[in-house]
Amino acid sequence: MEFPSERTSIYKVSRIIRRKENTLYNALRSIYEDSIFVGEISQLWPELPLLANLRCGLWYSPKFHSNCYFKSTDGHTNNLSFSTFRLNLHVALLAGQKGGVMIVDSTRKGKRFPDSMSKTIPIWTCVLNRAISYHRARLDEYATLKNESNISDELTSNIEQDYSGWDCSLHLPLWVSETEKAMIEARLEGWTKEFEASGADIASISLSLRKPLRPLWISQKTVIWLNEVPEYDSWDFTPVILISASSPSSTFQKLSTSEFSWNYIAGAGDDEESWARSLSPNLFWKNVYDLISSGPDLCNQKVANIVEKDRVYRAQRGENAPQVSVRPSKCLVSTNTLDVDIPSLAGDEKSSDNYAISWLGSTNIAVGRTPLDKFPADSIINCHKVSLSMDSEACLHLPIVDSKFDRFSLLRNLPSALDFAKTNLRHGKTLLVCCNNGEDISICVCLAIFTLLYTDAGHFDDGNSFKETRLTKLELRKRLVFICKFAINARPSRGNLKQVFNYLSQGTVPSLS
């Protein structure tokens, strides 16, 4: 074992120690131990769906009902916001249908909950509750003023009963300061107006929710008496149970079993690019017992073998699965870390089992990941760098790259995409827009097609309504909300959205024949 020289700075020493602690086995073993706690909590209310907050939360259970995307940065003290790009309306609808939901996430040592759970989700529940209350109040006022004969007294009384006592207050955990609470409360009305102006289907959420949303917080330090676990339907609110998977202890924990010793890492699932070596949550849970029993010395090679086997499997099916050389980790532990070739998996290319697509209402447009063998639409715009074995007249291949690598890649390819879409849609054909993960580039291409060729109600009009309107960011946001209503995994990047807006708003749209 090497030791730092006497002249090494404290900062460098701390980095060396951190690298020693953050080995691959330590991370996977920590995730596995934390997942036991998540499983125990989920069994307290087995009827409630379990959701993973992307991306960290995906590591902490082998099976989730769905996922969501609440960013911690929206809850940071100097960056408090309510994002109309990440409305997560499917979470509210699911909570209304099932009586509540449970959301899993984790955070680094020293904190009990990530900011996504401490502030982002409480802000979200409060804004939705307010919007629902205002929507119902308008309905009630309309019914009173209209006083039409087809509105029975019984219906009116049911409306009044449903609307009364709706909780619109802000519910935050005790560790959020009163000062910060006041800052949030001062902005709630503005956020609610932004939400109402976004074009979100508030009416559907209002019909789905019988009781207001309210967050509850559970961590490994929460005391729960198993013989006194309340029934979730006995509460006067719809629970959004926030499960922080990791231990909040800020002290260094060295744990051991009869075979191995290992260091616990709180929030180990975070920032997977820095430690996972292309292992995905899906692959981890398929091989969990083999990996955990391998021990620290064999874990890295086990992961390399698993990932390589998956790479070969995907390559045989025609997926993009390049090999890249991964260097040994610079840590001061004795492990059998070898130079091996493992794939670089971008986004959610990690799992090849599911190629689900989302149809955008009755628009004849679908969005999803690039399929390999089954083509569920008459025509396809493939934005993945891997081409498809399909008739060239029915498939347009546009290998668009993310805005991080090329700020104008999407902008350059939009004319071809829009021309191809218009040609096929005007003949009544169905269209699939796909990319490597179905969450970003394909969503932005769909957004451009939908904005240019459809009315705001989702009816194809060959671009007539677009010619008569001046596109604004608010209008584009409304169109995106419409798409996200059906494509719940949509996570378009700001850079790609900016390219769509610039193309459609600056008079650069050609007259498509």
Side-chain angles (χ1 to χ4, degrees), residues 93-111:
L93 291 170
L94 188 61
Q97 294 166 5
K98 302 294 185 179
V101 293
M102 292 184 282
I103 300 176
V104 178
D105 205 348
S106 71
T107 188
R108 294 292 184 180
K109 66 180 181 180
K111 295 176 65 176

Side-chain angles (χ1 to χ4, degrees), residues 369-438:
R369 293 179 58 193
T370 299
L372 299 177
D373 43 20
K374 297 179 181 178
F375 308 119
D378 300 324
S379 54
I380 294 179
I381 297 177
N382 175 25
C383 304
H384 201 321
K385 53 187 174 182
V386 178
S387 60
L388 299 175
S389 55
M390 190 176 178
D391 182 7
S392 59
E393 292 186 1
C395 180
L396 176 64
H397 185 210
L398 299 174
I400 303 172
V401 299
D402 188 79
S403 59
K404 290 187 227 176
F405 308 106
D406 185 341
R407 290 188 301 159
F408 305 107
S409 178
L410 177 59
L411 192 67
R412 287 194 303 270
N413 286 280
L414 277 179
S416 299
L418 293 170
D419 193 20
F420 181 84
K422 188 170 186 177
T423 300
N424 285 276
L425 291 170
R426 64 165 36 158
H427 289 97
K429 294 183 179 180
T430 56
L431 173 68
L432 169 65
V433 183
C434 53
C435 64
N436 68 315
N437 56 22

